[in-house]
Amino acid sequence: MISSPATLAALATAPAAGAVGILRLSGPAALEAGRMLAPGIPASPTPRHAYLASFVDASGAVLDSGLFLYFRAPHSFTGEDVVELQAHGSPRLLRMLLSRALEHPAVRPAGPGEFTRRAFLNGRIDLTRAEAVADLVAADSEAAVRAAAAGLAGALASRVRGLEEPLRSLHADLEGVLNFPEEAEGADEGAGARVAELRAAADALLAEVGRGRLVRRGARVALYGPVNAGKSTLFNRLVGEERALVDEEPGTTRDVLEARVEWEGLGVTLLDTAGLREAPGRIEALGIARTREVLATVDLAVLVLPPETREAEAQRWLVEAGTTSVLRVASKCDVRGVVEKLGTDEAVSVSGLTGEGVERLRTEMLSRLWGGGAPSAVALVSERHADALRRTAEALSRAESACRVSTLEVVSGEVGLALESLGEVSGTCASEALLDAIFQRFCIGK
Ligand SMILES: Nc1nc2c(ncn2[C@@H]2O[C@H](COP(=O)(O)OP(=O)(O)OP(=O)(O)O)[C@@H](O)[C@H]2O)c(=O)[nH]1
Ligand SMILES: [Mg+2]
């Protein structure tokens, strides 16, 4: 006999006072345990019907009244019988209701993401959609919400399927030729072209990694440059409030300051840094070391250069950013005359003092970060997806060269590896350990 899975119980709403709090049950005993809490509900309630119910404790005393919803398997989020009790949002009351539900012998507390994990295991959603649930909950910018919503609607799932299906049939054809050379004769014709096409598709999806990262984590942008260039003044302008101290004394900013803004829906963390110069004081030198560290970690460095900067000097500053992409800004453009001397071909002129050019700078920063166009939904969002897809593309690239120089066996082996890596994205090929890692980052009740 196959033992039936435990019935899970958890609070689906945050443990804080609110208008409504939800207790969720999922599993074979969900209805029975739910009716223990809400005895007025019929033994076979209409699925998806909102019943007004009284919730009681063990002695039958009424604790609250609210809504009782029943979703019959398999037509529920988890694919199991699900009951939701919507009570008033008192954290203490909800804990009492949860404890009462846990008194049912078949019910146990749900772990993080366990409802979603069951939805995945029961084939209700693939792994990319399960992850999109967590992404949506964690989203802290409009772009992140939209990307997660697209993921939930299956944007990545369908892109991956579009790659997985032809890859699977190619693998089947190759294995057929290898194992049953007579019956499957000719099935490997055009294999090279098929591999090349699939590799290009994998590469196209991989190209979205950068955007996915930006959407998910938000962009990090640092202002840097010589002391007294007007970085803090510009920083305050971009943030829209007086966050940083400004003074005519060079070396005013010593620590790295951070402020978070949202531009066109994209989360952006702006960093104001200590100005760089030769022979600084001791504390300031520490600040300068910090600036160099920061420059290595940001998505974009904005080099702020005052009007008196000579081109040779500007070039030295550009080198300071290392491999990080740099946007050059000619500051204090309200002080006329000197700006023209700067090699301004790619520099934006601004005045933090008057606000002139700041809007253009913002647009330029966004387009550098996003590469043109307004931030929009992206299919690929997580490092995990990117990593699995990178391995898929690598295997396909090896398969492509094997088509030219090696045996069909080698080609088929690489195609098989590609298929395996791709399967990690959708979950058709996911280990228990991978699932643990993914669902650990969910909250309880999801
Ligand atoms: N005319 C003019 N003066 C500016 C402008 N921006 C900054 N200043 C002045 O330049 C001086 C330095 O400005 P800050 O914003 O503190 O410069 P900073 O680059 O942060 O300087 P450090 O933190 O010392 O590296 C202050 O006296 C500002 O008032 C500007 O756009 N136009
Ligand atoms: Mg400053």
Side-chain angles (χ1 to χ4, degrees), residues 339-414:
V339 183
E340 282 74 25
K341 282 190 196 155
L342 200 70
T344 47
D345 44 327
E346 57 158 351
V348 182
S349 294
V350 298
S351 165
L353 205 64
T354 65
E356 194 187 333
V358 170
E359 200 45 45
R360 242 191 62 219
L361 170 61
R362 211 175 63 101
T363 310
E364 186 59 34
M365 284 160 77
L366 263 179
S367 94
R368 285 290 186 96
L369 288 167
W370 197 256
S376 55
V378 286
L380 193 68
V381 289
S382 84
E383 291 300 327
R384 190 188 78 76
H385 300 151
D387 176 58
L389 208 64
R390 201 168 291 125
R391 281 182 283 118
T392 305
E394 280 165 10
L396 283 173
S397 155
R398 288 194 303 269
E400 212 178 346
S401 26
C403 281
R404 290 189 299 271
V405 300
S406 194
T407 62
L408 202 58
E409 224 157 349
V410 176
V411 176
S412 184
E414 293 295 355

Side-chain angles (χ1 to χ4, degrees), residues 258-310:
E258 269 194 45
R260 167 123 178 153
V261 292
E262 193 174 313
W263 290 344
E264 312 274 330
L266 186 71
V268 179
T269 300
L270 284 173
L271 302 136
D272 181 23
T273 63
L276 303 177
R277 65 170 162 180
E278 305 294 326
R282 196 174 65 87
I283 303 270
E284 206 189 333
L286 295 175
I288 291 170
R290 281 284 255 310
T291 299
R292 295 207 165 103
E293 274 167 37
V294 163
L295 285 178
T297 66
V298 292
D299 301 295
L300 177 68
V302 174
L303 172 56
V304 183
L305 294 172
E308 64 272 18
T309 314
R310 289 181 315 275

Side-chain angles (χ1 to χ4, degrees), residues 226-234 245-253 272-275 331-335 350-354:
V227 283
N228 244 352
K231 300 179 295 298
S232 298
T233 308
L234 187 57
L245 281 178
V246 168
D247 195 79
E248 60 198 21
E249 173 91 7
T252 308
T253 307
D272 181 23
T273 63
S331 69
K332 308 190 185 182
C333 72
D334 55 296
V335 186
V350 298
S351 165
L353 205 64
T354 65

Side-chain angles (χ1 to χ4, degrees), residues 188-227:
D188 59 332
E189 240 167 66
R194 284 164 81 186
V195 169
E197 200 175 306
L198 289 166
R199 189 188 60 83
D203 282 344
L205 201 48
L206 251 183
E208 288 178 25
V209 170
R211 290 182 163 201
R213 189 180 298 128
L214 277 191
V215 160
R216 196 185 171 80
R217 297 204 205 127
R220 285 166 60 82
V221 177
L223 302 184
Y224 84 110
V227 283

